[in-house]
Each structure stands twice: as structure tokens, then as C-alpha cells.
Amino acid sequence: MKHLLSISDLGADGIDEVMRITDSFVEVSERAIPKVPALRGRTVVSLFYEDSTRTRLSFETAAKRLSADTMNFSVSTSSVKKGESLRDTVETIEAMGIDAVVVRHGSSGVPWQVAQWVDASVINGGDGWHEHPTQALLDCYTIRQRLGSLEGRHVAIVGDIKHSRVARSNVLAFTALGAEVTLVAPPTLMPPSLAGWPVTVSHDLDQVLPKVDAVYLLRMQKERMTEALLPSLREYTSGYGLTMARSNLLPEGALIMHPGPMNRGVEIGADVTDLPNTVITKQVANGVAVRMAVLYLLLGSGADLVA
Ligand code: NCD
């Protein structure tokens, strides 16, 4: 595999392979010196046109733990500010000699476009409302780690589905691994059409919560809302926020997940993050190992995995 643009590039077998390799890198991450030489001499660039904390830092950490060199491109301090086009920017970076580029952009499809312009491997770090495959992989890994498998599990994805690339990639990944997915949101935050989505839909969170193995909360993507989709955030919270009271409806052992960044007090109660079944920081920690696995898979060319 050369690029990772969509979860559908992997399919169930590919996701399983990433999970298997991730196991080794979780072990590496727990070592006193969490570093292996697998990608020595390779260069990984992050090209982020949208803000990021977790994705950018964990790709950088992942690359470093594999002994790759990293370059960090920040739009706000680059010649993009002077009007340089995406294509010229990408070709300039590639001219410096790179092996992989992690692309995040506000428009859907940009990573595919970049893949046509460069010889390097392209990883989609989030494109608009479309996909965020490495987030889905780290979420699958986290669920498997805690629940053993996704087969036959029931996951509710709750909140701003309409604007969420995380929801799109997670629906593909969770269902590929045999989970049942229910989307829960007010009608205005659902995509205009769910034709072809292998999901069920509900507008009643209280009724769904007692039946799930994991509840996955999404951030209210205020920056992508160009119209008034909600009467008020308070009203959203009263119907769809995972408050402490609501979390009591969950079966024992059900996981509480969120990709971050959280709007505490909106989609998730400030105190819910401290519950023992909340795995949000575990998701972040697994993100590093999963991204090591993805970089290794794309660039490793048979190098010894964890030596
Ligand atoms: C998400 C993103 O940027 O798509 N964050 C992340 O990568 N962990 C989700 C979000 O912004 O709400």
C-alpha cells in the first residue's frame, strides 16, 4: 500500500494488519527508550492547513519513535500567506526529498489531489467533512484493547455527524470490523442523505444508551456551521450531551469516547471525563502507536519492526 487516504483503502484485513503492527509499537512505546530504527533516513512532513493538536503531535512523535526525520509545515508562517498555491507548496516540499506527507485540509479530497502530484506516500490527516482514517484506526484499536473485539458490538456515535470526518471514517471502520453503529443527533446535525450508510439512526439518546458497548461523542464543529442548526448549545446539551446523569444509563463497562478537542459542558459533562470507563486519553496514547504502524506499513519496506 502506498497511500492511506480512506479507511476503504484498508478494508477489514488491512485494519487488522494495522492493529497487529500497533501491538508491537505499543510495546515499544512502553520501553524506557521508546525508539526503533525502522525508518532511519526517511523523512515525514506534516502539511497542515487546519489546526491540530493531537493528530500533528502524534504523527510527529510516531515518526521520531521510528527514527525518521520530521519536517513541520505551518501555514500561518509559510509562503501560503503570500498566496502560494497548494500545488506549488507541495512541489516545493517534495523537492527537498521526502518520503511521506501527512495532509490536513479544510476541503474534502485534497489528500487525493496531493497524491497525484507527488511520489511520496500521502496520509490523510483529515480532509474537510470527509475522512480521518488514522483517527478511526486508533478508535478501533482502543475498543479492541478494552472490549476484545468489535464483532457484534454496538457503538453509538453522537452529535455533529453532519460536519464530522471522524464519524464518516469511524462508521466505515467499525462496521468493517463487524460492529453495529447507531448515529444519534438532532435531524439538523445529520447529513442530508444517509443512503448507503450501514447504520441505524436515532434522535433519542436516552433510549440508545442502555443498549451500547461504547458511546462515541463528537465535537460540535462550530467553525463549520454556516447556518443556525441548533436553537442553542444549552438545548443541544439537554437532549444530546453526555451528562453525568445520562452516563448512568450506560451498561456497566460501556466505553465513553471522544476524538478531542472536547467542548466540556456541551457534548460531554465536565466530570464525565473522570469516569473509569472514559478512554479519551487512552485514545490519544494509542494514536501514537497506531500512527507508527501506519508509517511503518507505508514506508517500512520490510525493515525490522521493533529491533
Ligand atoms: C478531530 C478532527 O480534527 O477531525 N480531532 C482529531 O483529529 N482528534 C475532531 C474534531 O476536530 O472535532
Short mmCIF file of all heavy atoms in Angstrom, two decimals, residues 50-52 54-55 104 125-126 132 135 165-166 218-221 223-224 258-261 291, ligand 1:
data_model
loop_
_atom_site.label_atom_id
_atom_site.label_comp_id
_atom_site.label_asym_id
_atom_site.label_seq_id
_atom_site.Cartn_x
_atom_site.Cartn_y
_atom_site.Cartn_z
N GLU A 50 -5.11 23.09 8.52
CA GLU A 50 -6.12 23.30 9.55
C GLU A 50 -5.47 23.05 10.89
O GLU A 50 -4.52 22.27 10.98
CB GLU A 50 -7.26 22.29 9.40
CG GLU A 50 -8.52 22.84 8.82
CD GLU A 50 -9.67 21.84 8.98
OE1 GLU A 50 -9.57 20.85 9.72
OE2 GLU A 50 -10.69 22.08 8.32
N ASP A 51 -6.02 23.63 11.94
CA ASP A 51 -5.43 23.49 13.26
C ASP A 51 -5.48 22.05 13.74
O ASP A 51 -6.35 21.28 13.34
CB ASP A 51 -6.18 24.36 14.28
CG ASP A 51 -6.04 25.83 13.93
OD1 ASP A 51 -5.10 26.16 13.18
OD2 ASP A 51 -6.87 26.63 14.40
N SER A 52 -4.54 21.71 14.59
CA SER A 52 -4.49 20.36 15.14
C SER A 52 -3.59 20.36 16.35
O SER A 52 -2.57 21.06 16.37
CB SER A 52 -3.92 19.41 14.09
OG SER A 52 -3.65 18.14 14.66
N ARG A 54 -3.63 16.99 18.58
CA ARG A 54 -3.37 15.56 18.70
C ARG A 54 -2.78 14.93 17.44
O ARG A 54 -1.76 14.23 17.50
CB ARG A 54 -4.68 14.81 19.01
CG ARG A 54 -5.08 14.82 20.45
CD ARG A 54 -6.59 14.77 20.55
NE ARG A 54 -7.08 16.09 20.19
CZ ARG A 54 -7.33 17.03 21.09
NH1 ARG A 54 -7.24 16.77 22.35
NH2 ARG A 54 -7.70 18.24 20.71
N THR A 55 -3.42 15.17 16.30
CA THR A 55 -3.01 14.47 15.09
C THR A 55 -1.59 14.88 14.70
O THR A 55 -0.73 14.04 14.41
CB THR A 55 -4.00 14.77 13.94
OG1 THR A 55 -5.32 14.45 14.41
CG2 THR A 55 -3.70 13.94 12.72
N ARG A 104 -3.51 17.66 6.18
CA ARG A 104 -4.82 18.05 6.74
C ARG A 104 -5.26 19.31 6.03
O ARG A 104 -4.50 20.27 5.89
CB ARG A 104 -4.74 18.28 8.24
CG ARG A 104 -6.02 18.92 8.78
CD ARG A 104 -6.07 18.96 10.28
NE ARG A 104 -6.34 17.65 10.83
CZ ARG A 104 -6.73 17.45 12.10
NH1 ARG A 104 -6.90 18.48 12.92
NH2 ARG A 104 -6.95 16.23 12.56
N GLY A 125 -4.68 13.26 7.00
CA GLY A 125 -4.77 13.64 8.42
C GLY A 125 -6.06 14.38 8.72
O GLY A 125 -6.16 15.06 9.74
N GLY A 126 -7.05 14.23 7.82
CA GLY A 126 -8.34 14.90 7.99
C GLY A 126 -8.60 15.85 6.83
O GLY A 126 -7.87 16.82 6.66
N HIS A 132 -11.01 10.83 8.12
CA HIS A 132 -9.89 10.97 9.06
C HIS A 132 -9.48 9.55 9.45
O HIS A 132 -9.74 9.10 10.56
CB HIS A 132 -10.37 11.77 10.27
CG HIS A 132 -9.29 12.25 11.18
ND1 HIS A 132 -7.97 11.88 11.06
CD2 HIS A 132 -9.34 13.09 12.26
CE1 HIS A 132 -7.27 12.48 12.02
NE2 HIS A 132 -8.07 13.21 12.75
N GLN A 135 -7.65 8.47 12.76
CA GLN A 135 -8.48 8.59 13.96
C GLN A 135 -9.32 7.32 14.12
O GLN A 135 -9.43 6.75 15.21
CB GLN A 135 -9.39 9.83 13.86
CG GLN A 135 -10.32 10.01 15.05
CD GLN A 135 -9.59 10.41 16.33
OE1 GLN A 135 -8.71 11.26 16.29
NE2 GLN A 135 -9.94 9.80 17.45
N ARG A 165 -15.75 14.41 9.86
CA ARG A 165 -14.94 13.43 9.12
C ARG A 165 -14.66 12.22 9.99
O ARG A 165 -14.49 11.10 9.49
CB ARG A 165 -13.64 14.07 8.66
CG ARG A 165 -12.85 14.73 9.79
CD ARG A 165 -11.76 15.61 9.21
NE ARG A 165 -11.04 16.37 10.22
CZ ARG A 165 -10.51 17.56 9.97
NH1 ARG A 165 -10.64 18.13 8.80
NH2 ARG A 165 -9.83 18.19 10.91
N VAL A 166 -14.61 12.45 11.31
CA VAL A 166 -14.37 11.33 12.23
C VAL A 166 -15.54 10.33 12.14
O VAL A 166 -15.33 9.12 12.07
CB VAL A 166 -14.19 11.84 13.67
CG1 VAL A 166 -14.09 10.68 14.65
CG2 VAL A 166 -12.96 12.73 13.78
N LEU A 218 -19.07 13.35 19.58
CA LEU A 218 -18.36 14.19 18.61
C LEU A 218 -18.38 15.64 19.07
O LEU A 218 -19.34 16.10 19.70
CB LEU A 218 -19.05 14.11 17.25
CG LEU A 218 -19.00 12.75 16.57
CD1 LEU A 218 -19.92 12.76 15.35
CD2 LEU A 218 -17.57 12.39 16.15
N ARG A 219 -17.35 16.35 18.68
CA ARG A 219 -17.29 17.78 18.98
C ARG A 219 -18.29 18.54 18.10
O ARG A 219 -18.46 18.23 16.92
CB ARG A 219 -15.87 18.31 18.68
CG ARG A 219 -15.67 19.77 19.02
CD ARG A 219 -14.22 20.15 18.80
NE ARG A 219 -13.82 20.05 17.40
CZ ARG A 219 -13.95 21.03 16.51
NH1 ARG A 219 -14.46 22.19 16.88
NH2 ARG A 219 -13.57 20.85 15.27
N MET A 220 -18.93 19.51 18.71
CA MET A 220 -19.78 20.42 17.94
C MET A 220 -18.84 21.28 17.08
O MET A 220 -18.04 22.04 17.61
CB MET A 220 -20.54 21.28 18.95
CG MET A 220 -21.76 21.94 18.43
SD MET A 220 -22.91 20.79 17.72
CE MET A 220 -23.47 20.00 19.20
N GLN A 221 -18.91 21.11 15.76
CA GLN A 221 -17.93 21.76 14.87
C GLN A 221 -18.41 23.17 14.50
O GLN A 221 -18.81 23.43 13.37
CB GLN A 221 -17.73 20.91 13.61
CG GLN A 221 -17.47 19.44 13.93
CD GLN A 221 -16.14 18.96 13.47
OE1 GLN A 221 -15.62 19.36 12.44
NE2 GLN A 221 -15.54 18.09 14.26
N GLU A 223 -16.98 25.82 13.86
CA GLU A 223 -16.29 26.53 12.77
C GLU A 223 -16.82 26.12 11.39
O GLU A 223 -16.57 26.80 10.40
CB GLU A 223 -14.78 26.32 12.86
CG GLU A 223 -14.24 24.96 12.39
CD GLU A 223 -14.36 23.84 13.44
OE1 GLU A 223 -15.14 23.97 14.40
OE2 GLU A 223 -13.65 22.82 13.27
N ARG A 224 -17.53 24.98 11.31
CA ARG A 224 -18.04 24.54 10.01
C ARG A 224 -19.52 24.87 9.83
O ARG A 224 -20.12 24.51 8.82
CB ARG A 224 -17.84 23.03 9.82
CG ARG A 224 -16.40 22.58 9.93
CD ARG A 224 -16.22 21.17 9.42
NE ARG A 224 -15.07 20.51 10.01
CZ ARG A 224 -13.82 20.67 9.59
NH1 ARG A 224 -13.56 21.46 8.57
NH2 ARG A 224 -12.83 20.05 10.19
N HIS A 258 -14.19 10.08 22.85
CA HIS A 258 -14.28 11.40 22.20
C HIS A 258 -12.96 11.61 21.47
O HIS A 258 -11.90 11.30 22.03
CB HIS A 258 -14.49 12.48 23.28
CG HIS A 258 -14.88 13.83 22.73
ND1 HIS A 258 -14.11 14.54 21.84
CD2 HIS A 258 -15.97 14.60 22.97
CE1 HIS A 258 -14.72 15.69 21.55
NE2 HIS A 258 -15.86 15.75 22.22
N PRO A 259 -12.99 12.13 20.21
CA PRO A 259 -11.72 12.28 19.49
C PRO A 259 -10.89 13.46 20.00
O PRO A 259 -9.70 13.56 19.69
CB PRO A 259 -12.17 12.53 18.05
CG PRO A 259 -13.52 13.18 18.18
CD PRO A 259 -14.14 12.55 19.40
N GLY A 260 -11.52 14.38 20.75
CA GLY A 260 -10.86 15.62 21.13
C GLY A 260 -10.77 16.52 19.90
O GLY A 260 -10.78 16.02 18.79
N PRO A 261 -10.71 17.82 20.05
CA PRO A 261 -10.81 18.55 21.30
C PRO A 261 -12.25 18.57 21.81
O PRO A 261 -13.18 18.65 21.03
CB PRO A 261 -10.33 19.96 20.92
CG PRO A 261 -10.62 20.08 19.45
CD PRO A 261 -10.47 18.71 18.88
N ARG A 291 -0.22 5.37 14.61
CA ARG A 291 0.41 6.14 13.52
C ARG A 291 1.82 5.61 13.22
O ARG A 291 2.27 5.68 12.08
CB ARG A 291 0.39 7.62 13.86
CG ARG A 291 -1.06 8.12 13.75
CD ARG A 291 -1.29 9.54 14.20
NE ARG A 291 -2.67 9.91 13.89
CZ ARG A 291 -3.58 10.30 14.80
NH1 ARG A 291 -3.26 10.39 16.06
NH2 ARG A 291 -4.80 10.60 14.42
C1 NCD B 1 -10.86 15.76 15.08
C2 NCD B 1 -10.57 16.41 13.76
O1 NCD B 1 -9.81 17.36 13.66
O2 NCD B 1 -11.11 15.90 12.81
N1 NCD B 1 -9.87 15.88 16.01
C3 NCD B 1 -8.85 14.98 15.98
O3 NCD B 1 -8.18 14.80 14.99
N2 NCD B 1 -8.63 14.27 17.10
C4 NCD B 1 -12.20 16.03 15.58
C5 NCD B 1 -12.63 17.43 15.78
O4 NCD B 1 -11.97 18.39 15.39
O5 NCD B 1 -13.70 17.57 16.35
#
